[in-house]
Amino acid sequence: MKILVAVKRVPDPNATIKVRPDGTGIVTDNLKYVVNPFCEIAIEEALRIKENHGGAEVVLVSVGEQVCQEQLRTGLAMGADRAILVLQDGDVEPVIVARALAKLVEQEQPDIVMLGKQAIDDDSNVVGQMLAEMLGWGQGTFASEVKLSEDKSSAVVTREVDGGLEDVEMPLPAIITADLRLNEPRYASLPGIMKARKKELKEIPLGDLGIDQSVQVKVHKLSPPPERQAGKKVETVQELVDLLHTEAKVI
Amino acid sequence: MDFELDDDLKNIDQEARRLAANFDDEYWRDHDSRHEFPWDYYNRFAENGWIGVLIPTHYGGAGLGVQAAGVLLRAVASSGGAMNAASALHLSIFGMGPVIHHGSEEMKEKYLPPTATGELHVSFGVTEDDAGTDTSGIRTSARRNGDDWIITGKKIWNTKAQQAQKILLLVRTTPKEECRRPLDGMSLFLADLDRDYCEIREIPKLGRNAVNSNEVFINDLPVSGSDLVGEVGRGFYQLLDGLNPERIVLAAEAVGIGRRAIECATAYAGKREVFGRPIGKNQAIAHPLADSHSELEAADLLWQKAAWEYDRGGKNIGGLANMAKIRAAEAGFRACDRAMQVFGGFGYATEYNIERYWREARLMRIAPVSQEMALNYVAEHVLGLPKSY
């Protein structure tokens, strides 16, 4: 069995993000980068499938700049077997990432492609879905539980939907995207970090994949959210009710 | 020359910080105030293989150098865990240095793997009330009993002795008067800390209270001949493979604590408004923080140079280790003290954690060796001045 896991490098969710004054992007100086938290959950799930179903090869894929190898190394330190970095400078829009992954799926022939449900930087939430469409595979998105059949020919994915849970069954190969509650990712151990440096990390320029790279979405402008206004302290409940009525006009 | 950490060290720094982030200031404040050993924290780091950082791979460790250990301990110290977080781990890291370098194959096979997994806790037994830094004056002694030994005496400042099953004991095996040089005639034992023969008393102290410091009274403790580390009479010289790394990693920890304090103070100075503007706009607040930041940067480079020298087997290790310790202890404590000034009254309140960092950073100017004795070392061995004592 082989599981391909997509990994995106994103700014640290705990970092304070500043938008460049001209609105063309964010200030990246001294910004820390991490594995997208949902991708981390996807890696963890792939490792658990490997551990609980008699072995599997877990292959990580990232599309982006050379520095993305830092995040791939983190995934290798967690226990993935090898990694592929598709090199491309600058932002790569989701549809191109999906095409690159589709091409790699052709080469690697995985049984499952695991992704995070979305990246926390652009919140697009589309790569998994687009990839499923391109490959004509079934998809279990927003997974909070994944169960493989005994013969590993199909998977039941529990999805977190509005107001409850939905179980969907699909034959493998399939696309699964991880939601927050799927698992709690492990930490890379020190021996894991030491082993990771000997694992294969193959680099392929995006241009070598022979895919359509035409840009379809252009970001015009980024702007920071409005600053929060200071609150107001009130002395009595009566005063609060009055203000809610006269000033906030919510009651 | 390249000041960039290599990829392994970067990963070690990042992953150690990530793991340490599970244990916040409240956790440490709580354990410190209740004098409770941070088991959850210790076990998480042990499970993930961090304690074996210096232990050779053959014995189940990662086989890395003192620089890697420093990066790890700086990371945990800067997490808000300060000395409590660092000391909970570091005894098992540098403490086994003499065993790694001088222990018999049998000793290494037996004790290094459980140290790497964190199951075996080892305390360090060097200092005595009446000897202090004048190590040659220790009175704890071992006498032969066939192939084995019997040890009697008293040690002090034994970190984590409450948890330890083993203690690395430095004892006299030949009286000082009969030795050619005062530091000859001492031997090192990895002894069982057998409670039937050892009484352990915790010493109430200013800070770092989640990790205990003790007095150990040793009454005719039987020690197997196989627990002798290296050669009889060479104990002090072998111990240097614990003492020098200790100074280096403690310097790294002092930098970590100082950075944490400056980080907190900077964030506070940016948002605390007095007279209608953030106090960080005042140079009386900003300059000390900037100054401390630069002192910490300098100290950070110095401990790494010392670690680099140690790891490549260089000869100038004592001087560099002591200089790193001196600079980092000053920079770390000053950073905490200045952070307290920035916080004003709140810096004195337990809730804001600065007082805890301050209490713990103060220790670095006394331990593992006082600033003054470290300066004496530099004066004598680096500058070549006559010995002053």
Side-chain angles (χ1 to χ4, degrees):
Chain A
M1 185 167 207
K2 192 192 275 188
I3 307 171
L4 204 64
V5 188
V7 175
K8 187 174 184 185
R9 171 183 170 92
V10 297
D12 185 340
N14 298 316
T16 314
I17 302 293
K18 285 188 190 136
V19 175
R20 276 193 232 132
D22 63 2
T24 56
I26 59 168
V27 179
T28 54
D29 302 343
N30 296 322
L31 195 56
K32 254 185 66 193
Y33 287 84
V34 297
V35 176
N36 173 41
F38 292 110
C39 297
E40 221 174 7
I41 296 170
I43 298 171
E44 175 65 33
E45 195 62 19
L47 295 173
R48 289 189 188 184
I49 291 172
K50 173 183 173 160
E51 287 157 3
N52 301 332
H53 290 83
E57 189 186 20
V58 176
V59 184
L60 308 178
V61 186
S62 194
V63 182
E65 299 181 9
Q66 188 80 45
V67 282
C68 294
Q69 59 166 286
E70 288 175 13
Q71 281 61 46
L72 290 172
R73 288 276 173 224
T74 301
L76 292 172
M78 286 171 73
D81 298 289
R82 60 188 170 90
I84 301 167
L85 173 54
V86 178
L87 281 169
Q88 176 70 3
D89 283 342
D91 289 338
V92 187
E93 69 171 286
V95 68
I96 295 176
V97 174
R99 284 186 198 129
L101 291 175
K103 196 72 191 178
L104 288 175
V105 165
E106 227 173 77
Q107 296 171 4
E108 293 283 341
Q109 301 281 319
D111 301 281
I112 299 173
V113 180
M114 296 276 321
L115 305 93
K117 69 167 180 177
Q118 68 195 73
I120 58 141
D121 51 358
D122 60 16
D123 280 339
S124 294
N125 177 18
V126 288
V127 172
Q129 294 87 332
M130 289 194 290
L131 181 59
E133 176 61 24
M134 287 171 190
L135 298 169
W137 290 5
Q139 55 178 301
T141 53
F142 296 71
S144 64
E145 196 182 348
V146 175
K147 278 193 229 128
L148 297 194
S149 64
E150 199 104 331
D151 63 355
K152 295 184 229 172
S153 67
S154 66
V156 175
V157 171
T158 303
R159 308 181 63 234
E160 295 199 347
V161 292
D162 283 347
L165 300 173
E166 178 187 46
D167 285 355
V168 291
E169 185 172 359
M170 68 210 72
L172 297 186
I175 306 292
I176 298 173
T177 75
D179 209 333
L180 187 65
R181 279 166 285 275
L182 180 57
N183 59 51
E184 198 180 314
R186 71 195 64 189
Y187 288 87
S189 68
L190 182 55
I193 293 171
M194 300 318 293
K195 272 185 215 142
R197 67 173 161 180
K198 296 197 193 92
K199 291 178 179 172
E200 180 189 292
L201 198 162
K202 192 166 79 178
E203 294 177 358
I204 310 173
L206 182 65
D208 289 7
L209 289 179
I211 55 165
D212 176 7
Q213 287 189 51
S214 54
V215 175
Q216 295 179 344
V217 177
K218 194 164 171 259
V219 175
H220 277 276
K221 192 171 184 298
L222 291 181
S223 52
E227 262 190 59
R228 253 181 90 181
Q229 299 297 312
K232 203 181 251 182
K233 275 188 187 161
V234 293
E235 297 290 331
T236 63
V237 174
Q238 187 54 49
E239 199 184 334
L240 175 67
V241 173
D242 288 347
L243 284 173
L244 286 174
H245 187 63
T246 57
E247 212 176 287
K249 295 191 171 39
V250 290
I251 52 172
Chain B
M1 196 186 291
D2 186 351
F3 287 94
E4 187 88 0
L5 291 183
D6 70 24
D7 285 349
D8 283 342
L9 291 171
K10 264 194 224 163
N11 270 332
I12 286 171
D13 186 46
Q14 178 193 316
E15 295 302 321
R17 280 173 201 275
R18 256 160 49 99
L19 191 56
N22 288 296
F23 304 90
D24 58 10
D25 276 305
E26 201 182 327
Y27 175 87
W28 293 108
R29 201 160 63 223
D30 179 51
H31 282 72
D32 192 65
S33 70
R34 290 194 288 119
H35 292 225
E36 193 175 302
F37 189 78
W39 281 114
D40 297 344
Y41 160 85
Y42 178 87
N43 289 336
R44 284 302 284 281
F45 272 82
E47 273 161 27
N48 284 290
W50 291 98
I51 294 178
V53 57
L54 288 184
I55 292 178
T57 49
H58 177 70
Y59 306 104
L64 294 167
V66 170
Q67 193 182 9
V71 167
L72 159 65
L73 292 165
R74 183 184 62 185
V76 300
S78 69
S79 74
M83 279 294 276
N84 278 323
S87 308
L89 307 182
H90 72 197
L91 255 294
S92 300
I93 293 174
F94 66 72
M96 288 302 253
V99 174
I100 293 170
H101 292 278
H102 307 285
S104 67
E105 196 48 44
E106 183 197 345
M107 176 179 275
K108 290 196 268 193
E109 293 281 357
K110 191 168 172 193
Y111 295 117
L112 292 180
T115 306
T117 58
E119 293 155 69
L120 182 73
H121 297 265
V122 182
S123 187
F124 221 45
V126 178
T127 309
E128 298 184 10
D129 311 29
D130 301 327
T133 318
D134 180 10
T135 308
S136 76
I138 61 165
R139 293 208 192 134
T140 303
S141 63
R143 58 181 194 274
R144 282 193 192 269
N145 179 26
D147 289 339
D148 299 333
W149 299 81
I150 291 177
I151 297 180
T152 296
K154 186 195 162 195
K155 293 288 176 185
I156 194 167
W157 300 117
N158 312 98
T159 299
K160 235 176 92 179
Q162 305 281 343
Q163 283 78 28
Q165 298 101 322
K166 284 276 182 183
I167 183 165
L168 194 71
L169 272 180
L170 184 72
V171 302
R172 274 256 163 234
T173 38
T174 309
K176 192 171 167 182
E177 310 78 67
E178 294 169 26
C179 295
R180 206 161 53 83
R181 289 180 297 181
L183 291 168
D184 290 350
M186 290 184 276
S187 304
L188 207 52
F189 289 92
L190 186 62
D192 288 332
L193 193 44
D194 187 338
R195 272 64 173 174
D196 288 344
Y197 302 91
C198 299
E199 191 192 333
I200 303 167
R201 282 191 212 152
E202 185 170 351
I203 304 170
K205 59 188 190 298
L206 176 68
R208 206 206 62 184
N209 286 319
V211 181
N212 50 78
S213 299
N214 304 276
E215 293 177 281
V216 178
F217 299 83
I218 307 161
N219 302 309
D220 291 336
L221 172 71
V223 177
S224 155
S226 63
D227 283 342
L228 172 75
V229 181
E231 289 173 51
V232 174
R234 297 282 304 157
F236 179 79
Y237 307 103
Q238 295 164 359
L239 189 65
L240 292 178
D241 277 312
L243 297 184
N244 281 323
E246 179 180 30
R247 279 167 209 192
I248 299 168
V249 299
L250 264 86
E253 294 166 8
V255 170
I257 301 175
R259 285 200 171 144
R260 171 70 174 191
I262 295 302
E263 207 178 279
C264 295
T266 305
Y268 185 77
K271 66 173 203 281
R272 164 80 170 161
E273 290 196 8
V274 179
F275 302 115
R277 63 212 207 104
I279 59 171
K281 273 194 170 180
N282 303 317
Q283 291 179 349
I285 297 287
H287 283 182
L289 294 178
D291 190 48
S292 266
H293 180 73
S294 72
E295 286 181 354
L296 291 164
E297 278 296 301
D300 198 42
L301 290 176
L302 194 49
W303 80 255
Q304 290 188 73
K305 183 174 177 187
W308 169 79
E309 180 77 356
Y310 185 87
D311 289 339
R312 70 179 190 138
K315 297 220 178 322
N316 302 315
I317 187 61
L320 280 168
N322 279 292
M323 288 192 280
K325 189 271 173 193
I326 293 164
R327 284 276 65 82
E330 290 303 332
F333 179 69
R334 217 138 88 100
C336 294
D337 197 53
R338 284 165 152 178
M340 189 179 275
Q341 203 66 20
V342 168
F343 272 82
F346 292 118
Y348 212 65
T350 311
E351 186 190 339
Y352 285 78
N353 304 304
I354 301 296
E355 61 84 32
R356 180 165 50 84
Y357 307 154
W358 185 88
R359 285 186 281 122
E360 295 182 20
R362 184 65 180 82
L363 175 57
M364 298 290 194
R365 295 175 68 208
I366 308 171
V369 61
S370 68
Q371 295 295 80
E372 294 73 15
M373 286 308 290
L375 287 166
N376 281 337
Y377 185 96
V378 174
E380 185 187 340
H381 298 280
V382 179
L383 299 181
L385 288 169
K387 191 169 175 162
S388 59
Y389 52 94

